[in-house]
Amino acid sequence: MPSHRSSLLLVGAFIALYLVWGSTYFVIKIGVQSWPPMLLAGLRFVIAGGLMFAWLRWRGVPVPTAKEWRSCAIVGFLLLSCGNGGVTIAEHLGVASAVAALAIATVPLFALLFGLIWGQRTTGLEWGGILLGLIGIGLLNLGHNLQASPLGAMLVLIAAASWAFGSMWSRHLSLPGGAMASAAQMLVGGVVLLLGSAASGERMQQAPDFAGWLALAYLTLFGSIVAFSAYLYLLKHVRPAAATSYAYVNPVVAVLLGITFAGERIGAEEWLAMTVIVSAVVLIGLPQWRRPRVAGSVKSA
């Protein structure tokens, strides 16, 4: 029987996973009103990665080897520079935070497809989920949000595919143990985003307002450190399918926040797309509940 303290930790971890990660899309929307998108994402990950790296070194965790740094560079670039960076740029281009979250909810679908590259076997239910998810993506692109920003639409789908590909590839790379892998990935991914910001000519038009600074602080401390730590805790104490259930909870949280606080309008096609995509993710998650052990992919928006 779990102790009262461990039960509270589990509840707190799930709240962090669902609400914090689900809210990051809304907070990114606030942040890009004060910060250039790649600069915002780069600062977020460099600061979070730097803090985690320093804390882990203080606790005596060894520095990654050269081979591990190369692996972290690959994963950090695909997940954070391309994945999160793509979402941030898309929201800067006008894609609603709720719609961006719905697009990123397709990550498990892309992950199954990319898993075929490494010989991963896919069940009938999972193939059904992939087909249903592709229908959901089609419906999402019929909505006014993505039609109004074709580049943003392309970026959020590339971001989802990049995150999924990086997650699958990471299982076959030599990575540091525990949280050091995440710290190194955030450092590399953040540096790439800052270099991209400088190379693309991003410039601050004026000093960020109070909301902009709060957005950066929230994304750094809660979105990148607290929620990720909660995810690692859940992976150790619950079934992986439960730990990765954020994939169909986060979009709902993001939609509700976007509509309630950002005045975002979601059309009938997008409501239908949310229902279809969330159903698809639930469908492909069903076989995991019957498996004793399945590796989960890390998500940080």
Side-chain angles (χ1 to χ4, degrees):
M1 292 291 290
S3 67
H4 180 67
R5 180 175 179 273
S6 63
S7 298
L8 289 178
L9 284 174
L10 285 174
V11 171
F14 272 114
I15 290 174
L17 201 63
Y18 291 165
L19 298 185
V20 174
W21 261 348
S23 67
T24 52
Y25 298 93
F26 169 68
V27 177
I28 287 172
K29 193 71 173 181
I30 296 174
V32 294
Q33 295 174 18
S34 295
W35 300 90
M38 283 190 284
L39 179 61
L40 172 65
L43 287 174
R44 165 191 176 181
F45 290 120
V46 166
I47 295 171
L51 290 173
M52 286 185 67
F53 188 87
W55 180 71
L56 291 167
R57 290 293 296 135
W58 178 73
R59 293 192 61 190
V61 177
V63 174
T65 64
K67 183 178 180 181
E68 290 172 339
W69 273 114
R70 286 194 296 270
S71 297
C72 287
I74 292 171
V75 178
F77 174 75
L78 290 171
L79 268 66
L80 305 179
S81 304
C82 297
N84 189 272
V87 170
T88 307
I89 295 171
E91 291 198 36
H92 175 71
L93 293 173
V95 174
S97 62
V99 174
L102 287 176
I104 298 302
T106 61
V107 164
L109 312 179
F110 283 113
L112 282 179
L113 290 174
F114 290 132
L116 298 175
I117 298 174
W118 287 278
Q120 178 176 298
R121 302 180 67 178
T122 302
T123 67
L125 273 179
E126 289 168 336
W127 278 117
I130 289 173
L131 178 60
L132 193 61
L134 292 175
I135 294 172
I137 292 173
L139 290 170
L140 193 60
N141 279 277
L142 292 176
H144 64 87
N145 270 284
L146 292 188
Q147 284 189 346
S149 179
L151 178 57
M154 181 179 67
L155 283 173
V156 290
L157 290 177
I158 290 176
S162 178
W163 192 286
F165 184 65
S167 297
M168 298 307 296
W169 195 359
S170 69
R171 301 179 184 182
H172 306 275
L173 294 172
S174 177
L175 295 168
M180 180 57 80
S182 178
Q185 290 163 19
M186 285 194 283
L187 281 173
V188 175
V191 167
V192 170
L193 284 164
L194 292 180
L195 291 174
S197 174
S200 65
E202 284 188 345
R203 295 288 183 273
M204 295 290 299
Q205 301 300 320
Q206 59 185 12
D209 58 16
F210 183 64
W213 284 110
L214 278 182
L216 175 61
Y218 183 90
L219 291 170
T220 301
L221 297 176
F222 292 97
S224 296
I225 296 178
V226 172
F228 178 74
S229 299
Y231 180 67
L232 289 182
Y233 178 80
L234 288 174
L235 278 181
K236 293 180 179 179
H237 294 87
V238 301
R239 286 177 177 267
T244 55
S245 59
Y246 63 78
Y248 47 85
V249 177
N250 286 175
V252 179
V253 173
V255 167
L256 293 176
L257 287 174
I259 292 174
T260 305
F261 297 105
E264 294 177 350
R265 300 183 64 183
I266 305 298
E269 299 90 348
E270 289 148 338
W271 280 112
L272 182 57
M274 180 176 73
T275 303
V276 172
I277 290 173
V278 171
S279 299
V281 176
V282 171
L283 189 62
I284 66 173
L286 290 177
Q288 295 187 47
W289 292 95
R290 298 196 297 266
R291 296 174 186 169
R293 184 172 182 82
V294 177
S297 59
V298 175
K299 176 178 184 294
S300 174

